Amino acid sequence: MAITQILMAKPNVLIPLTVLSERFAAAKSTISEDLVVVKEGFQLSRQGYIETMPGALGGVRYIPDLDGAEVGQFLSELAARLSVKERILAGGYLYMTDLLFDPAVLRPLGLIFAKIFRSQKLDAVVTIETKGIPLALVTAEALGVPMIIIRHGNKVTEGTSVNINFVSGSSQRIQTMSLSRRALEPGRRVLILDDFMKAGGTAIGMIQLMKEFEAHVVGVGMLVESALGHFPKLVEEYQALLKLTELDVSGRVVVTPVVAFAQ
Amino acid sequence: MAITQILMAKPNVLIPLTVLSERFAAAKSTISEDLVVVKEGFQLSRQGYIETMPGALGGVRYIPDLDGAEVGQFLSELAARLSVKERILAGGYLYMTDLLFDPAVLRPLGLIFAKIFRSQKLDAVVTIETKGIPLALVTAEALGVPMIIIRHGNKVTEGTSVNINFVSGSSQRIQTMSLSRRALEPGRRVLILDDFMKAGGTAIGMIQLMKEFEAHVVGVGMLVESALGHFPKLVEEYQALLKLTELDVSGRVVVTPVVAFAQ
């Protein structure tokens, strides 16, 4: 019981068996037997799983995960919560901020993105301020990697930075994005994540900025992609969880789960 | 075992005994006995505790927490990681971004702020973009409440908003902060949180903005307060975790834990 608690309190952290053995004043063989029971518990609870690594540098770690059935149900419910006319704002925008900043909504979203991209062996999750930050953080935590936030314009408290200009595909306005030289070492494998994509101009900008850091972009994830308007998508490969298919200022809005995801 | 896992996967969420009873096809009395063992496990693991509520609307929930001894050790280590000359930036700033965006650092920080402010029965954690956002999110999650992010300037995708001007006490520059009318209902109890405080002008601005929403500010938390320069603190009551006491561009920087916290 206490072993489960220690593992779950530090998701993705490899805990050596010797640490558990000392902590509970038990032989390593006893700890190993306990871990079998912990593993069975996770098969029953479906709240993730544990990985054990043998050898001197080995140990055990907890990988948080969301059951496939729960993913489908959660995304359907989220799509329904977004498909209400009270969320329609002037200018044809959809109000999503309350959900994007709610830990109870974010935690499952992080687990879903982690489920999709874990096999890519990521080193970091990258996003651009502001609304995608919480989403990137929960995903980074579920994957056990740091988050990197690209800023708008240049910030004095970040030291030397790399700036690039980009055109948000839908607004056609030139903007600047900036990342501190210190933020990312060369050669890292990164996932780009954002809350909303229209044409993908911002995502293209982030991909270009990552090239300046010699990073490998191994995935692009979006919470919602818009199917409205006639914006050819600038990004070829991305994975959205939800799609905005209708938004009419007279009061109709439809968001649907992107079912292709459920594996 | 599986009960612990389900509780820990949904921190702060009250789970009715009937749900557990159905999930595991066990009598409520059996579940209650199991919960006694779960409780003992947490006394041993010190990774938080469970609360049980009796009655028809009752149930059980997991409250994440960090042991007092771990708090002290974590803050000392964090202070040491900040007190290195490589972090000194031109203009006398301290580079903290890597730590502020790292889930492994953020999670304990969220638990520490939650430990300090949980008794205040908060409805939300409020911050201002950008660097305090991850800190506010982990604290909101540890407390089981939503996060609210005040924006710089007015954003078109947020609907009607309340804007106020504020003077950042150290820069003496007038800026605007903005919050959507939808973001907060009147009468809510909020915690204001930010990563760094010099004179507190930004915090004062946030407190004033909260008045516009008829919110009760029941706490102000800061990761680092600066003791540099001669800025009389504008905010009377706040709780910082760390204090920046020296920063010399020639290469000396000292950050110390604010020991008054350890209770």
Side-chain angles (χ1 to χ4, degrees):
Chain A
M1 193 72 71
I3 292 179
T4 297
Q5 291 160 3
I6 283 172
L7 291 173
M8 286 187 81
K10 290 193 166 52
N12 294 298
V13 176
L14 189 72
I15 300 177
L17 291 197
T18 42
V19 168
L20 295 173
S21 163
E22 280 167 24
R23 175 82 186 257
F24 298 113
K28 271 198 198 181
S29 58
T30 312
I31 300 291
S32 294
E33 285 163 26
D34 288 347
L35 287 175
V36 173
V37 184
V38 172
K39 206 166 248 185
E40 288 168 1
F42 279 115
Q43 279 158 13
L44 189 62
S45 70
R46 301 191 301 273
Q47 303 299 330
Y49 50 93
I50 60 168
E51 277 181 356
T52 45
M53 312 279 201
L57 294 172
V60 56
R61 77 174 131 219
Y62 166 62
I63 311 290
D65 192 20
L66 202 61
D67 193 55
E70 270 195 76
V71 171
Q73 197 191 334
F74 173 79
L75 289 179
S76 295
E77 285 171 10
L78 186 58
R81 286 178 74 181
L82 286 168
S83 303
V84 292
K85 66 171 191 282
E86 289 74 18
R87 292 192 173 276
I88 301 173
L89 297 173
Y93 290 97
L94 187 66
Y95 186 77
M96 313 201 296
T97 308
D98 55 331
L99 301 174
L100 286 174
F101 295 173
D102 183 349
V105 174
L106 288 164
R107 180 178 268 252
L109 288 176
L111 293 174
I112 295 169
F113 278 120
K115 199 179 178 79
I116 299 172
F117 294 107
R118 188 180 304 278
S119 63
Q120 298 294 335
K121 304 286 176 205
L122 297 161
D123 295 309
V125 176
V126 178
T127 192
I128 186 163
E129 61 182 341
T130 296
K131 287 195 286 184
I133 295 174
L135 200 58
L137 181 66
V138 291
T139 304
E141 180 160 35
L143 288 163
V145 300
M147 166 180 61
I148 289 163
I149 301 178
I150 298 168
R151 309 292 299 265
H152 289 291
N154 195 7
K155 306 293 167 191
V156 290
T157 57
E158 298 294 315
T160 312
S161 64
V162 180
N163 298 346
I164 69 158
N165 295 323
F166 70 105
V167 181
S168 169
S170 44
S171 75
Q172 297 297 332
R173 203 157 55 85
I174 293 176
Q175 295 171 273
T176 303
M177 61 172 77
S178 159
L179 186 61
S180 168
R181 256 298 160 217
R182 296 173 183 238
L184 191 60
E185 288 169 14
R188 294 303 161 103
R189 297 172 62 82
V190 302
L191 166 66
I192 287 177
L193 216 61
D194 212 350
D195 58 309
F196 194 82
M197 185 169 88
K198 259 180 159 163
T202 307
I204 286 288
M206 287 195 271
I207 290 169
Q208 283 169 352
L209 186 57
M210 286 301 102
K211 281 191 189 137
E212 293 292 327
F213 284 81
E214 296 170 46
H216 306 290
V217 176
V218 294
V220 176
M222 293 286 153
L223 176 58
V224 180
E225 64 166 311
S226 172
L228 307 177
H230 297 285
F231 301 113
K233 290 281 183 282
L234 301 169
V235 186
E236 288 190 8
E237 282 192 60
Y238 61 92
Q239 179 67 62
L241 303 186
L242 302 171
K243 188 182 273 194
L244 174 63
T245 55
E246 286 186 49
L247 191 151
D248 181 332
V249 282
S250 73
R252 184 166 161 78
V253 52
V254 179
V255 176
T256 51
V258 177
V259 285
F261 151 71
Q263 296 150 359
Chain B
M1 193 71 71
I3 291 179
T4 297
Q5 292 161 1
I6 284 172
L7 292 172
M8 287 186 81
K10 290 193 166 50
N12 294 298
V13 175
L14 190 72
I15 299 177
L17 291 199
T18 43
V19 168
L20 295 173
S21 164
E22 281 166 24
R23 175 83 184 257
F24 297 112
K28 271 198 199 180
S29 57
T30 312
I31 300 290
S32 293
E33 286 163 26
D34 288 348
L35 287 174
V36 174
V37 183
V38 172
K39 205 167 247 185
E40 287 168 1
F42 279 114
Q43 280 159 12
L44 190 61
S45 72
R46 300 190 301 271
Q47 303 298 331
Y49 50 93
I50 61 169
E51 277 180 358
T52 44
M53 313 277 202
L57 294 172
V60 56
R61 76 173 133 221
Y62 166 62
I63 311 290
D65 192 20
L66 201 63
D67 193 55
E70 271 194 75
V71 171
Q73 197 190 335
F74 173 80
L75 289 179
S76 296
E77 286 172 8
L78 186 60
R81 288 178 73 182
L82 285 168
S83 303
V84 292
K85 66 172 191 286
E86 288 74 18
R87 293 194 171 275
I88 300 174
L89 297 174
Y93 290 96
L94 187 65
Y95 186 76
M96 311 200 298
T97 309
D98 56 329
L99 301 173
L100 285 174
F101 296 172
D102 183 350
V105 174
L106 289 163
R107 180 179 270 252
L109 289 175
L111 293 174
I112 295 169
F113 279 120
K115 199 178 177 78
I116 299 171
F117 294 107
R118 189 180 302 281
S119 64
Q120 297 294 336
K121 305 285 176 205
L122 296 162
D123 295 308
V125 176
V126 177
T127 192
I128 186 163
E129 61 182 343
T130 296
K131 286 196 286 184
I133 295 175
L135 200 59
L137 181 65
V138 292
T139 304
E141 181 160 35
L143 289 163
V145 300
M147 166 181 62
I148 289 163
I149 301 177
I150 298 169
R151 308 294 298 267
H152 289 291
N154 195 7
K155 304 295 166 190
V156 289
T157 58
E158 298 294 314
T160 311
S161 65
V162 180
N163 298 345
I164 69 159
N165 295 323
F166 69 105
V167 181
S168 167
S170 43
S171 75
Q172 299 296 332
R173 202 158 55 85
I174 294 176
Q175 296 171 270
T176 303
M177 61 171 78
S178 159
L179 186 60
S180 167
R181 256 296 162 219
R182 296 173 183 238
L184 191 60
E185 288 167 15
R188 294 303 162 104
R189 296 171 63 82
V190 302
L191 166 65
I192 286 176
L193 216 62
D194 212 349
D195 58 309
F196 194 83
M197 186 168 90
K198 259 179 157 162
T202 307
I204 287 288
M206 288 195 271
I207 291 169
Q208 282 168 352
L209 186 57
M210 286 300 102
K211 280 192 189 136
E212 294 292 327
F213 284 81
E214 295 171 47
H216 307 289
V217 176
V218 295
V220 176
M222 292 288 153
L223 176 58
V224 180
E225 66 165 310
S226 172
L228 307 177
H230 296 285
F231 301 113
K233 289 281 181 282
L234 301 169
V235 185
E236 288 191 7
E237 281 192 62
Y238 61 92
Q239 178 66 61
L241 303 187
L242 302 171
K243 189 182 272 195
L244 173 64
T245 56
E246 285 185 49
L247 190 152
D248 182 329
V249 282
S250 73
R252 184 167 163 78
V253 52
V254 180
V255 176
T256 50
V258 177
V259 285
F261 152 71
Q263 294 150 2

